[in-house]
PDB file of all heavy atoms in Angstrom:
ATOM      1  N   ALA A 165     -28.482   0.443  23.397  1.00 98.00           N
ATOM      2  CA  ALA A 165     -27.097   0.607  23.868  1.00 98.00           C
ATOM      3  C   ALA A 165     -26.150   0.832  22.743  1.00 98.00           C
ATOM      4  O   ALA A 165     -24.993   0.490  22.793  1.00 98.00           O
ATOM      5  CB  ALA A 165     -26.713  -0.678  24.667  1.00 98.00           C
ATOM      6  N   SER A 166     -26.604   1.521  21.710  1.00 97.00           N
ATOM      7  CA  SER A 166     -25.830   1.673  20.488  1.00 97.00           C
ATOM      8  C   SER A 166     -24.529   2.484  20.653  1.00 97.00           C
ATOM      9  O   SER A 166     -23.630   2.379  19.820  1.00 97.00           O
ATOM     10  CB  SER A 166     -26.713   2.365  19.371  1.00 97.00           C
ATOM     11  OG  SER A 166     -27.134   3.643  19.814  1.00 97.00           O
ATOM     12  N   TYR A 167     -24.434   3.265  21.728  1.00 98.00           N
ATOM     13  CA  TYR A 167     -23.195   4.005  21.954  1.00 98.00           C
ATOM     14  C   TYR A 167     -22.417   3.517  23.195  1.00 98.00           C
ATOM     15  O   TYR A 167     -21.565   4.204  23.745  1.00 98.00           O
ATOM     16  CB  TYR A 167     -23.489   5.523  22.100  1.00 98.00           C
ATOM     17  CG  TYR A 167     -22.295   6.384  21.834  1.00 98.00           C
ATOM     18  CD1 TYR A 167     -21.647   6.374  20.577  1.00 98.00           C
ATOM     19  CD2 TYR A 167     -21.796   7.268  22.796  1.00 98.00           C
ATOM     20  CE1 TYR A 167     -20.569   7.164  20.324  1.00 98.00           C
ATOM     21  CE2 TYR A 167     -20.739   8.040  22.565  1.00 98.00           C
ATOM     22  CZ  TYR A 167     -20.096   7.989  21.336  1.00 98.00           C
ATOM     23  OH  TYR A 167     -19.003   8.788  21.064  1.00 98.00           O
ATOM     24  N   VAL A 168     -22.721   2.325  23.610  1.00 98.00           N
ATOM     25  CA  VAL A 168     -22.036   1.699  24.766  1.00 98.00           C
ATOM     26  C   VAL A 168     -21.038   0.701  24.163  1.00 98.00           C
ATOM     27  O   VAL A 168     -21.454  -0.279  23.493  1.00 98.00           O
ATOM     28  CB  VAL A 168     -23.032   0.981  25.728  1.00 98.00           C
ATOM     29  CG1 VAL A 168     -22.252   0.363  26.882  1.00 98.00           C
ATOM     30  CG2 VAL A 168     -24.091   1.963  26.208  1.00 98.00           C
ATOM     31  N   ASN A 169     -19.786   1.008  24.310  1.00 98.00           N
ATOM     32  CA  ASN A 169     -18.735   0.137  23.757  1.00 98.00           C
ATOM     33  C   ASN A 169     -17.513   0.117  24.734  1.00 98.00           C
ATOM     34  O   ASN A 169     -17.095   1.144  25.156  1.00 98.00           O
ATOM     35  CB  ASN A 169     -18.312   0.668  22.378  1.00 98.00           C
ATOM     36  CG  ASN A 169     -17.498  -0.312  21.621  1.00 98.00           C
ATOM     37  OD1 ASN A 169     -17.587  -1.545  21.875  1.00 98.00           O
ATOM     38  ND2 ASN A 169     -16.801   0.115  20.606  1.00 98.00           N
ATOM     39  N   GLY A 170     -17.064  -1.100  24.976  1.00 98.00           N
ATOM     40  CA  GLY A 170     -15.949  -1.263  25.877  1.00 98.00           C
ATOM     41  C   GLY A 170     -16.291  -1.137  27.372  1.00 98.00           C
ATOM     42  O   GLY A 170     -15.417  -1.001  28.192  1.00 98.00           O
ATOM     43  N   ALA A 171     -17.586  -1.169  27.684  1.00 98.00           N
ATOM     44  CA  ALA A 171     -18.011  -1.033  29.098  1.00 98.00           C
ATOM     45  C   ALA A 171     -17.847  -2.334  29.843  1.00 98.00           C
ATOM     46  O   ALA A 171     -18.056  -3.398  29.258  1.00 98.00           O
ATOM     47  CB  ALA A 171     -19.459  -0.541  29.128  1.00 98.00           C
ATOM     48  N   VAL A 172     -17.582  -2.181  31.102  1.00 98.00           N
ATOM     49  CA  VAL A 172     -17.513  -3.282  32.052  1.00 98.00           C
ATOM     50  C   VAL A 172     -18.540  -2.983  33.140  1.00 98.00           C
ATOM     51  O   VAL A 172     -18.333  -2.096  33.924  1.00 98.00           O
ATOM     52  CB  VAL A 172     -16.097  -3.538  32.650  1.00 98.00           C
ATOM     53  CG1 VAL A 172     -16.122  -4.675  33.636  1.00 98.00           C
ATOM     54  CG2 VAL A 172     -15.076  -3.752  31.539  1.00 98.00           C
ATOM     55  N   ILE A 173     -19.652  -3.740  33.132  1.00 98.00           N
ATOM     56  CA  ILE A 173     -20.787  -3.372  33.987  1.00 98.00           C
ATOM     57  C   ILE A 173     -20.943  -4.400  35.090  1.00 98.00           C
ATOM     58  O   ILE A 173     -21.315  -5.560  34.826  1.00 98.00           O
ATOM     59  CB  ILE A 173     -22.069  -3.240  33.152  1.00 98.00           C
ATOM     60  CG1 ILE A 173     -21.883  -2.169  32.072  1.00 98.00           C
ATOM     61  CG2 ILE A 173     -23.285  -2.916  34.043  1.00 98.00           C
ATOM     62  CD1 ILE A 173     -23.032  -2.053  31.101  1.00 98.00           C
ATOM     63  N   PRO A 174     -20.758  -4.021  36.350  1.00 98.00           N
ATOM     64  CA  PRO A 174     -21.072  -4.981  37.444  1.00 98.00           C
ATOM     65  C   PRO A 174     -22.520  -5.151  37.590  1.00 98.00           C
ATOM     66  O   PRO A 174     -23.304  -4.143  37.525  1.00 98.00           O
ATOM     67  CB  PRO A 174     -20.476  -4.291  38.654  1.00 98.00           C
ATOM     68  CG  PRO A 174     -19.548  -3.211  38.187  1.00 98.00           C
ATOM     69  CD  PRO A 174     -20.076  -2.803  36.837  1.00 98.00           C
ATOM     70  N   VAL A 175     -23.033  -6.370  37.695  1.00 98.00           N
ATOM     71  CA  VAL A 175     -24.402  -6.688  37.963  1.00 98.00           C
ATOM     72  C   VAL A 175     -24.372  -7.501  39.238  1.00 98.00           C
ATOM     73  O   VAL A 175     -24.450  -8.751  39.237  1.00 98.00           O
ATOM     74  CB  VAL A 175     -25.054  -7.445  36.782  1.00 98.00           C
ATOM     75  CG1 VAL A 175     -26.569  -7.647  37.026  1.00 98.00           C
ATOM     76  CG2 VAL A 175     -24.874  -6.723  35.433  1.00 98.00           C
ATOM     77  N   ASP A 176     -24.131  -6.753  40.344  1.00 96.00           N
ATOM     78  CA  ASP A 176     -23.722  -7.438  41.549  1.00 96.00           C
ATOM     79  C   ASP A 176     -24.407  -6.936  42.841  1.00 96.00           C
ATOM     80  O   ASP A 176     -23.953  -7.209  43.915  1.00 96.00           O
ATOM     81  CB  ASP A 176     -22.210  -7.279  41.712  1.00 96.00           C
ATOM     82  CG  ASP A 176     -21.778  -5.832  41.970  1.00 96.00           C
ATOM     83  OD1 ASP A 176     -22.658  -4.942  41.808  1.00 96.00           O
ATOM     84  OD2 ASP A 176     -20.617  -5.575  42.260  1.00 96.00           O
TER      85      ASP A 176
END
Side-chain angles (χ1 to χ4, degrees):
S166 59
Y167 201 61
V168 180
N169 196 20
V172 178
I173 302 175
V175 185
D176 65 351

